[in-house]
Amino acid sequence: MTANCAVIVAKDEGEARTLAKEAISKGAEALEFRLDSFPVIPADLSFLTCGVPSVATLRSPLDEERKDIFLRALASGATYIDIESDSVLRNRFPKEQVICSYHDFEKTPAEDEILAIFNDLRSSGIPKAAFMVRGPADLLAVWSAASVLREKGAPFILIGMGAAGEVTRIRAFDLGSMLNYCALRPELASAPGQITLEEAERLGTDPQVTAVTGYPLTHTFSPEIHNAAFKAAKILGRYVKIPSAPEELHLIPEVIRKYRIIGMNVTIPHKESVIPFLKRIDPLAASAGAVNTIRNSPAGLEGYNTDMLGIAASLASVDADPKGAEALIIGAGGAAKAAAAYLKAAGARLSITNRTHSRAETLAEMFGVRAVKLEDLAPAYQLILNATPAGMSGFEHCSPVPHTIFTKDTVVMDMIYDPEVTPLLAAAKSAGVRACINGKTMLIEQAAASFTLWTGISPDRAVMRKAFEARAA
Ligand code: NAP
C-alpha cells in the first residue's frame, strides 16, 4: 500500500510543526522532515512525533555529527531515519528504523542493475532508490524492476525523477512503492518532478493519465492546458510529458500499456514515424499520413489527427476560406501533412515549400500539388501556413521564407504559439497583410479534440485558454 508522504522543508521547529499540521490536514499519510533545511538543528525534535509515520532526513557530509542527530531523531519519535547507501552510518542503526537510500541524478540503469542496487540497500533497511528518467527505456526499466520487487512482498521505495519520471509518481500505487513523496506546496518541491500533496490527493489511487511525446519536448504548453481541462471537468486526470528520442519511439506503446495511459499526443518530430507502431489509423489521419493523437482502446492503439481540426478552426477565426484560394504551406513534416490534407480537402490550390526541397516534392506528389523552391517563391498567395519550427522559442530565431511574398490579401498563419509573434508574423504584419494568426487557436482546438477522444467529454475551452495565457506570461 502506497502512502502519500509530504516533504516538510522548514526553517525552524515552529514552522515544522505548522507545516506538518497543514500536511496532515490535507491528507498526508506520512511526513518526511528535511532536517537539512534548518539553518541550525533544533534541540527539541519532538515534532517528529506527529500522528503519522515520520522520516528524518539529513544530507550532510559530517557523519559523526549526523549520528547524534539521528539518535535524537529516533528518540524523539521518528519512525525512520533516511541514510544514504554510501554513508559510513549505513549499518549503525537498527535496520527496521532505516530507509537506506540511493540517488542517481543522471540516469536510470537497466532493470538488472536496479535490482542489484535494491538487493544491496535491503541489507541495511527499507531500500529506496530514485533515478533520473530520460525517456521510455528508463520508464520501462523502472516498471519491470518494480514488478520484481512487488512480487517479493517486502517494502521498497522506487522513484523516477525529472519531468519524464512524473508518471512513476502518478502511478506510485501501481508500482507498489511504499511512499509517494509529495511537495507540500509547489515552491517547496525537494526533488525534480515531484508533484504536490494536493494534486496527489486529488488524483487518488487510479487517475486517468494522458501524455505527450516528442523530442526534445522542451517548449510544449500542452500539460498546462490539459491539466486545467481535467480539473474544470472534475476528472481525476493528469497529463504528463514523456520525451522520446527517435531510437526509443518504438517503446512508447509499451509505456502506454504498462503505465495505463489512456491517450497520448505526438509532436515534433514523431507524427509520421509513430504510425507503424499503431494498430489502427483513423481515415482523417491516414489522409494526412500523420498522427498527433493516440488513443489506447481495448482493441489496441489507434492514431488520430486533431491538428487538421485545429487548422480549420484557426482559419475560420479570421474568416479565411480555403476554397479556391492560392495557398502555400511552408514545411514538409507531420504538421505540414495535416495542413496539406485539410487544405486540399477544403478546395485550396496548394503549393508546398520546404528547406529540404526533395521533401517538399515528396509531399506535393503525395497530394498531387506543386512543390516550389524557396528561391522561386513569388507574392502569389492568399493563404500562407508555416508548419516549421523556424522562429519558435528554443529554435533558430528566423523566418522560414523571404518577406517579399506577402500581399495585402494574404492571411498568414504560423503554427508556432511561443513566441506569440514570430519573425514571420512580425514581417507579415509590417507588410500589411489581411490577417495574422499564431498557433494558439490551433493548439487549443487540437487539444480539445484529443481530450474528447480520450475522455468522451468536450473540455472548457475558456479554461484551456486561461491556462495557456498563464503559461505564456
Ligand atoms: P516535423 O515533422 O519535425 O517537421 C519539421 C519541418 O520543419 C520540416 O519540414 C523541416 O524541414 C522544417 N524545419 C525544421 N527546422 C527548420 C528551420 N530552422 N528552418 C526552416 N525549416 C525548418 O515537425 P512538425 O510536427 O511538423 O511541427 C512543425 C511545427 O509546427 C513545429 O513548430 C510545431 O510546434 C508546430 N505545430 C504546432 C501545432 C499547434 O497546435 N499550434 C500543432 C502541430 C505543430 P527539413 O525537411 O528541411 O528538415
Side-chain angles (χ1 to χ4, degrees):
M1 190 60 189
T2 304
N4 284 333
C5 176
V7 181
I8 304 297
V9 180
K11 285 185 304 300
D12 55 44
E13 194 197 330
E15 193 183 15
R17 285 185 199 281
T18 307
L19 294 179
K21 223 166 148 187
E22 180 186 331
I24 293 169
S25 73
K26 284 180 172 171
E29 295 149 312
L31 299 179
E32 181 194 41
F33 289 88
R34 292 299 305 237
L35 299 185
D36 34 25
S37 67
F38 293 92
V40 179
I41 306 287
D44 180 7
L45 295 177
S46 60
F47 55 80
L48 290 163
T49 301
C50 55
V52 295
S54 63
V55 184
T57 300
L58 176 61
R59 309 263 181 251
S60 159
L62 305 170
D63 276 326
E64 281 313 312
E65 193 181 310
R66 272 205 313 167
K67 187 177 159 228
D68 291 342
I69 296 167
F70 280 140
L71 284 170
R72 282 206 288 125
L74 289 172
S76 305
T79 318
Y80 304 105
I81 50 175
D82 180 312
I83 298 181
E84 312 84 69
S85 58
D86 56 357
S87 164
V88 295
L89 298 180
R90 177 176 165 164
N91 291 315
R92 300 193 23 206
F93 295 91
K95 241 177 101 164
E96 54 286 359
Q97 290 182 302
V98 171
I99 290 175
C100 188
S101 62
Y102 177 94
H103 295 82
D104 188 332
F105 292 99
E106 301 290 321
K107 62 179 191 311
T108 300
E111 178 194 339
D112 286 359
E113 204 180 318
I114 296 178
L115 292 174
I117 290 167
F118 271 88
N119 253 344
D120 170 53
L121 298 174
R122 199 177 291 289
S123 62
S124 307
I126 294 174
K128 168 190 169 188
F131 302 106
M132 183 58 71
V133 168
R134 297 154 302 177
D138 292 350
L139 284 175
L140 292 175
V142 167
W143 183 271
S144 329
S147 308
V148 174
L149 294 168
R150 253 192 337 266
E151 288 264 300
K152 291 189 173 161
F156 67 93
I157 302 165
L158 176 52
I159 304 158
M161 291 186 290
E166 187 182 325
V167 71
T168 69
R169 297 176 188 269
I170 310 287
R171 286 278 181 243
F173 293 85
D174 281 18
L175 289 176
S177 195
M178 181 180 101
L179 296 180
N180 181 29
Y181 291 87
C182 307
L184 187 50
R185 299 187 199 131
E187 69 277 14
L188 296 180
S190 61
Q194 204 171 65
I195 60 169
T196 61
L197 174 66
E198 208 172 344
E199 183 66 346
E201 289 292 320
R202 184 185 75 83
L203 292 173
T205 56
D206 189 19
Q208 305 210 28
V209 180
T210 55
V212 56
T213 191
Y215 198 72
L217 204 56
T218 43
H219 275 89
T220 176
F221 285 20
S222 294
E224 283 83 356
I225 60 177
H226 276 274
N227 284 327
F230 271 139
K231 280 191 186 150
K234 300 205 174 356
I235 294 175
L236 305 180
R238 181 87 177 170
Y239 185 100
V240 299
K241 292 203 305 189
I242 301 184
S244 174
E247 62 276 16
E248 291 194 14
L249 186 63
H250 67 285
L251 299 174
I252 282 289
E254 211 184 331
V255 169
I256 291 176
R257 285 188 287 267
K258 293 269 164 46
Y259 284 89
R260 295 191 295 118
I261 293 171
I262 62 168
M264 188 179 274
N265 281 133
V266 181
T267 188
I268 184 171
H270 299 323
K271 288 183 182 182
E272 298 156 271
S273 44
V274 78
I275 289 176
F277 307 117
L278 306 177
K279 180 95 184 278
R280 191 185 82 83
I281 306 297
D282 169 74
L284 206 61
S287 76
V291 160
N292 80 318
T293 304
I294 300 172
R295 181 165 70 173
N296 184 2
S297 84
L301 300 184
E302 302 169 337
Y304 294 85
N305 194 306
T306 64
D307 280 341
M308 292 166 77
L309 306 174
I311 294 166
S314 301
L315 294 178
S317 72
V318 291
D319 289 328
D321 183 2
K323 196 164 189 326
E326 282 294 339
L328 175 71
I329 293 170
I330 312 163
K337 273 187 167 177
Y342 167 68
L343 289 173
K344 181 85 195 299
R349 295 200 298 271
L350 196 54
S351 300
I352 297 170
T353 192
N354 188 46
R355 182 176 65 177
T356 309
H357 184 63
S358 60
R359 287 191 75 201
E361 285 180 318
T362 307
L363 189 55
E365 202 174 305
M366 182 177 156
F367 287 96
V369 300
R370 285 181 299 275
V372 185
K373 287 190 174 154
L374 281 167
E375 58 270 29
D376 294 339
L377 287 173
Y381 305 101
Q382 281 105 49
L383 281 179
I384 296 176
L385 268 80
N386 178 34
T388 80
M392 181 162 94
S393 294
F395 282 78
E396 209 179 332
H397 185 77
C398 67
S399 185
V401 284
H403 296 159
T404 47
I405 64 166
F406 305 123
T407 73
K408 300 269 179 271
D409 295 328
T410 316
V411 169
V412 182
M413 174 174 167
D414 199 326
M415 293 192 188
I416 294 168
Y417 53 79
D418 179 25
E420 193 180 342
V421 181
T422 58
L424 176 77
L425 291 182
K429 199 160 182 233
S430 50
V433 300
R434 179 159 93 72
C436 285
I437 334 162
N438 69 16
K440 178 179 163 185
T441 299
M442 179 177 173
L443 180 76
I444 303 289
E445 290 301 325
Q446 63 77 29
S450 299
F451 191 93
T452 305
L453 272 170
W454 299 329
T455 63
I457 286 168
S458 179
D460 185 335
R461 284 158 168 82
V463 163
M464 292 171 115
R465 273 194 292 273
K466 214 169 144 196
F468 177 100
E469 304 298 352
R471 169 69 158 78

